[in-house]
């Protein structure tokens, strides 16, 4: 666990990590008893501060859409899901209305029944209703969401900075270790490759009057290495490789697989994120496509990714 | 207009700017005819790409809370508001429920009346209602929001990158120029001081395998200078100065006022954003505080800032 100690030393433990670690451990044990597989999904980009009293930071392009949509399909496939996501990134179910201002979807309606009045402050006689045509598809989606909440199969955990992400990933690996090979890691978050160590960071806001800005950033230690080797050696681990240049993505994915020796790399290109991914293993390469026709029916490529990985996970469990 | 041309040359016009420019011009002319003052509020941080097919970017700390809250108080004071804000930053009225997952606030209720059934898809007989206790204060807030929508006094315009912000600010200045001194600029957005010119930007994602990252960023040309001098010489202009170091903030604010010769700088410190600001003009310095007691009653410092600026704006109009 040398890497782990080294990482912990470089990034002081942020507040809230311990409490989240307990919640993840309880969640994992509960679903182990219920006989469910558990997947940890990481989602969204990490924030890398440039100043210790942070005004400026480096960020990664990631709305969290891949992670949020995948979570829904993992839940449908029977997994319990720990959703480790960037604060305010897209969230399962509700992300479908991410561009909606909910106040535009609400109307005030005079209240009639006594049931409503009981819940309202005295004197008030209005209730608030959703205007159905402003939020198409809300009824079935809400039913779906409420079923998931009742089943208790979704545990959201939030991070903001790279440091919070690193600590929470370690805690999640520890929480999932009792599950052995029935745990899956689906590492869809866009984690920064670079950071500024706390010791080299200016305390105060960098002054623009000092002229052009020179930033030197260190490389973030690769978490995948200790994760595969030490923290979750029995688990089924999927990493993601996003590139903008299609000519290098496959090589970079194979390289990652060779270096870290985990199970699958999902390779994708920024321009075709939603319609094409390539699943790469030690001895296979599988292209998944979403056709225009499928897209127009509301089908999503994440459903295909999750179905494929679910089948591979089953084979992985049976082999071991 | 030399600066303007220079800026336009450095940052190619993003799509959507022209359409927004028309909307702003129409909005300004309409409210001029109605005899209303118009304030342009800028809000949220700007995104500065590090690659032309952007995966990584530099960002500024700014939730947009100051701008969103101020917009409400300017509306209350009778202003028409152009709300030029970062995509997904906090929005007037709805920001009060920014941390709420709206799906947690909704319940399905059997529909009774025929009015509801007409709007629902056939076969469905459920309506969606807000659970009042999950969203305290919603009824009066929604009434307030709906009155503003009916009055047509709020125009939202979105930006994402620094380049979009610069072009939209220019367009807004042009839209507001017919209003002369009854236009106000309330520049609360956290605009990046640094950027990488398109010509020096790598096309593709920077590879982490190439070692530590060195970034050199140029200084963003100061927009306040051409805004005050050329684009809106008659308008009442307020800029903001945020620092983390309380010992330098007043000097920095006075410097800005000396350089740009606009009307007011609102100075604030990161740690006390919500409870203390200092309004600085050529010949005055006014501290505004929010006491703990006021905060506990739900009062906001933005109400005090807006009331103060409204009075100064009236005096400014009467003087000129």
């Amino acid at each position: 666990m040398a890497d782990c100690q080294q990482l912990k030393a470089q990034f002081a433990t942020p507040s809230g990590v311990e409490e989240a670690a307990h919640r993840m451990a309880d969640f994992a044990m509960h679903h182990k008893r219920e006989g469910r597989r558990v997947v940890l999904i990481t989602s969204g980009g990490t924030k890398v501060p440039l100043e210790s009293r942070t005004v400026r930071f480096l960020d990664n392009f990631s709305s969290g859409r891949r992670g949020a949509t995948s979570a829904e399909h993992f839940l449908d496939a029977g997994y319990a899901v720990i959703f480790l996501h960037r604060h305010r990134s897209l969230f399962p179910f509700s992300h479908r209305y991410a561009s909606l201002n909910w106040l535009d979807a609400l109307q005030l309606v005079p209240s009639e029944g006594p049931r409503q009045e009981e819940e309202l402050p005295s004197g008030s006689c209005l209730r608030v209703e959703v205007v159905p045509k402003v939020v198409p598809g809300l009824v079935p989606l809400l039913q779906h969401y409420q079923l998931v909440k009742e089943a208790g199969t979704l545990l959201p955990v939030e991070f903001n900075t790279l440091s919070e992400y690193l600590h929470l990933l370690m805690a999640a690996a520890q929480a999932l270790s009792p599950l052995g090979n029935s745990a899956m890691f689906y590492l869809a978050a866009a984690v920064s490759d670079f950071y500024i160590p706390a010791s080299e960071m200016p305390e105060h806001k960098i002054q623009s009057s000092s002229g052009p800005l020179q930033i030197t950033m260190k490389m973030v230690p690769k978490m995948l290495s200790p994760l595969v080797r030490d923290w979750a050696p029995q688990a089924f681990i999927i990493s993601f490789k996003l590139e903008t240049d299609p000519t290098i993505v496959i090589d970079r994915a194979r390289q990652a697989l060779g270096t870290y020796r985990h199970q699958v790399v999902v390779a994708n290109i920024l321009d075709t994120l939603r319609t094409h991914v390539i699943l790469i293993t030690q001895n296979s390469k599988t292209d998944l496509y979403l056709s225009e026709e499928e897209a127009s029916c509301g089908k999503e490529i994440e459903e295909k990714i999750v179905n494929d990985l679910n089948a591979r996970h089953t084979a992985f469990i049976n082999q071991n």
Side-chain angles (χ1 to χ4, degrees), chain A:
Chain A
M1 299 285 260
D3 289 285
C4 172
Q5 296 311 325
Q6 202 186 322
L7 282 172
K8 284 199 171 176
Q10 278 176 54
F11 296 96
T13 309
S15 66
V17 167
E18 209 173 324
E19 184 270 337
H22 282 298
R23 281 192 296 136
M24 292 191 281
D26 290 348
F27 181 84
M29 286 312 290
H30 171 74
H31 290 290
K32 178 180 156 65
R33 282 191 298 270
E34 301 271 313
R36 262 184 214 103
R37 297 180 191 169
V38 179
V39 59
L40 173 85
I41 299 179
T42 68
S43 186
T46 59
K47 199 163 149 169
V48 176
L50 302 189
E51 299 126 339
S52 52
R53 305 198 191 185
T54 309
V55 174
R56 300 192 178 88
F57 55 93
L58 189 77
D59 211 329
N60 274 60
F61 159 83
S62 174
S63 65
R65 209 195 49 79
R66 176 83 87 212
T69 311
S70 301
E72 295 170 18
H73 294 293
F74 275 114
L75 289 162
D76 285 348
Y79 282 77
V81 174
I82 300 177
F83 188 64
L84 181 57
H85 64 291
R86 166 75 174 271
H87 178 63
R88 295 234 173 113
S89 67
L90 295 181
F91 195 82
F93 304 101
S94 59
H95 74 94
R96 297 180 187 279
Y97 305 113
S99 59
L100 174 72
N101 178 347
W102 278 91
L103 296 184
D104 289 325
L106 301 178
Q107 62 187 352
L108 292 156
V109 177
S111 186
E112 305 121 19
R115 191 185 52 77
Q116 290 306 318
E117 273 164 35
E118 279 169 12
E119 295 178 33
L120 288 164
S122 67
S124 168
C125 50
L126 290 166
R127 62 165 197 262
V128 182
E129 249 180 45
V130 176
V131 184
K133 59 186 163 203
V134 182
V135 198
L138 178 60
V139 170
L141 184 111
L142 187 57
Q143 286 171 325
H144 195 168
Y145 177 67
Q146 291 181 338
L147 283 176
V148 166
K149 273 179 77 173
E150 273 164 41
T153 45
L154 175 63
L155 178 70
V157 178
E158 287 191 348
F159 64 86
N160 242 314
T161 62
L162 174 67
S163 173
E164 284 165 0
Y165 173 81
L166 295 178
H167 281 273
L168 288 166
L169 181 62
M170 276 189 259
Q174 207 152 27
L176 290 180
S177 81
L179 278 84
N181 61 17
S182 70
M184 188 195 286
F185 288 76
Y186 183 85
L187 306 170
V191 181
S192 180
D193 292 313
F194 306 103
Y195 77 111
I196 301 180
S199 56
E200 295 172 22
M201 220 184 284
E203 179 186 358
H204 286 298
K205 186 182 174 189
I206 301 162
Q207 291 298 318
S208 62
S209 48
S210 332
L213 183 62
Q214 283 275 4
I215 309 174
T216 306
M217 303 185 87
K218 283 206 174 160
M219 288 179 60
V220 172
K222 292 290 178 192
M223 297 291 285
L224 204 47
S225 174
L227 180 70
V228 176
R229 207 180 49 221
D230 304 318
W231 309 344
Q234 295 184 281
F236 189 68
I237 298 179
I238 298 111
S239 73
F240 283 71
K241 181 62 74 185
L242 172 73
E243 293 292 344
T244 55
D245 184 351
T247 63
I248 64 168
V249 69
I250 305 282
D251 279 355
R252 304 269 297 122
R254 288 224 173 277
Q255 254 171 40
L257 219 51
T259 307
Y260 305 113
R261 315 203 70 74
H262 57 304
Q263 283 69 43
V264 185
V265 176
V266 180
N268 42 189
I269 302 294
L270 190 60
D271 287 343
T272 55
L273 269 183
R274 293 187 178 209
T275 52
H276 180 209
V277 302
I278 311 160
L279 270 59
I280 295 172
T281 71
Q282 294 292 354
N283 46 29
S284 74
K285 171 175 171 295
T286 310
D287 285 272
L288 299 179
Y289 292 97
L290 190 76
S291 70
E292 273 183 41
E293 202 188 330
E294 288 171 319
S296 70
C297 305
K299 209 172 158 75
E300 296 162 323
I301 198 158
E302 286 77 12
E303 186 179 345
K304 298 188 180 192
I305 302 173
V306 168
N307 287 345
D308 186 296
L309 292 175
N310 185 10
R312 287 180 204 265
H313 192 194
T314 303
F316 176 81
I317 291 170
N318 293 338
Q319 267 169 30
N320 287 267

